[in-house]
Amino acid sequence: MTMSLFGDGLDAAVHKAFTRPAPKSAPAQMRYLVKQLKGTRPVAQLLRVSQRTVERYVKGQIKKPRPDLAARLEREVKKRWQPQIRARARQKAATTGGIVIDTRARMGYTAPIGSTDQDRVRHLTVALPPHYAARLFDAQEAGAGDQQLKEIAAEALKEVYFQDNGRRAGQLEEVRFTDIEHLEFDL
């Protein structure tokens, strides 16, 4: 499992829209997954454990999973929790609300000769318009990796922050977005 900074950040923003908390205990999470996937065998395959192990969690005979299993369990539950609310939150961001990116990273840009801007660490909190929220979520749904999501975010920051929606720095060619120390999205 690779940590996906952008993918996880987008998921976290959507999770804030949940109306009920997801199940916390391992047996409750296991029961939820068994109900969602309609059986213990698909859950066992998904989590890479034996079917018997899943059954023992469901009955409450085991309560404390190993750290790696606990992380997989939580991730799979969150992925499936309140799908309509998740879809509504994404839809709203993509059509009317937009998305806010809060980041501390090294940024700079490529521009024609004669302009100077060295890469430097900046802390930005920028509201991105709905079409960028839509592009980020669509790319994430299509299975885009962090690199693609980062490129969309860099393009959005170029347009909204550096070029002020076309009011300045029109010749900017590319924004570099590296050494990310902090990244958070909010709907």
Side-chain angles (χ1 to χ4, degrees):
M1 158 63 196
T2 55
M3 266 300 287
S4 161
L5 194 62
F6 284 82
D8 292 347
L10 289 169
D11 287 343
V14 171
H15 291 171
K16 290 176 193 165
F18 287 163
T19 54
R20 293 193 327 268
K24 288 273 181 272
S25 75
Q29 290 174 327
M30 210 55 98
R31 284 190 292 273
Y32 175 75
L33 284 177
V34 168
K35 197 170 145 192
Q36 289 296 303
L37 300 177
K38 297 172 179 42
T40 52
R41 182 176 289 134
V43 174
Q45 289 169 342
L46 177 74
L47 296 172
R48 300 189 302 277
V49 295
S50 73
Q51 191 172 349
R52 181 76 191 112
T53 301
V54 173
E55 290 163 2
R56 290 173 63 204
Y57 273 105
V58 168
K59 287 182 185 158
Q61 294 169 339
I62 319 178
K63 290 184 170 50
K64 199 88 183 88
R66 301 183 314 271
D68 60 322
L69 176 60
R72 284 198 305 269
L73 192 55
E74 176 144 347
R75 194 174 60 248
E76 294 303 332
V77 167
K78 277 202 167 151
K79 215 189 266 182
R80 291 167 177 78
W81 189 248
Q82 295 193 329
Q84 289 88 1
I85 288 177
R86 176 182 293 122
R88 262 199 311 270
R90 287 178 162 189
Q91 183 62 33
K92 182 173 176 259
T95 52
T96 54
I99 192 166
V100 173
I101 182 173
D102 180 69
T103 186
R104 182 173 163 75
R106 182 169 299 283
M107 285 185 224
Y109 48 77
T110 327
I113 296 156
S115 62
T116 58
D117 193 61
Q118 288 299 310
D119 291 13
R120 66 175 190 262
V121 174
R122 303 169 192 251
H123 184 180
L124 303 177
T125 303
V126 180
L128 304 178
H131 68 274
Y132 279 112
R135 282 185 57 198
L136 283 165
F137 285 132
D138 290 347
Q140 184 190 28
E141 284 290 304
D146 250 22
Q147 189 54 44
Q148 279 176 284
L149 295 171
K150 185 165 116 178
E151 286 165 15
I152 295 170
E155 192 182 314
L157 288 171
K158 171 184 149 184
E159 182 186 308
V160 178
Y161 176 76
F162 288 104
Q163 295 181 321
D164 193 14
N165 294 317
R167 287 190 275 282
R168 64 167 186 257
Q171 309 88 306
L172 229 62
E173 289 157 19
E174 171 197 31
V175 168
R176 286 185 302 281
F177 188 11
T178 56
D179 302 337
I180 300 168
E181 294 171 20
H182 164 82
L183 176 78
E184 200 175 315
F185 291 99
D186 219 338
L187 301 180

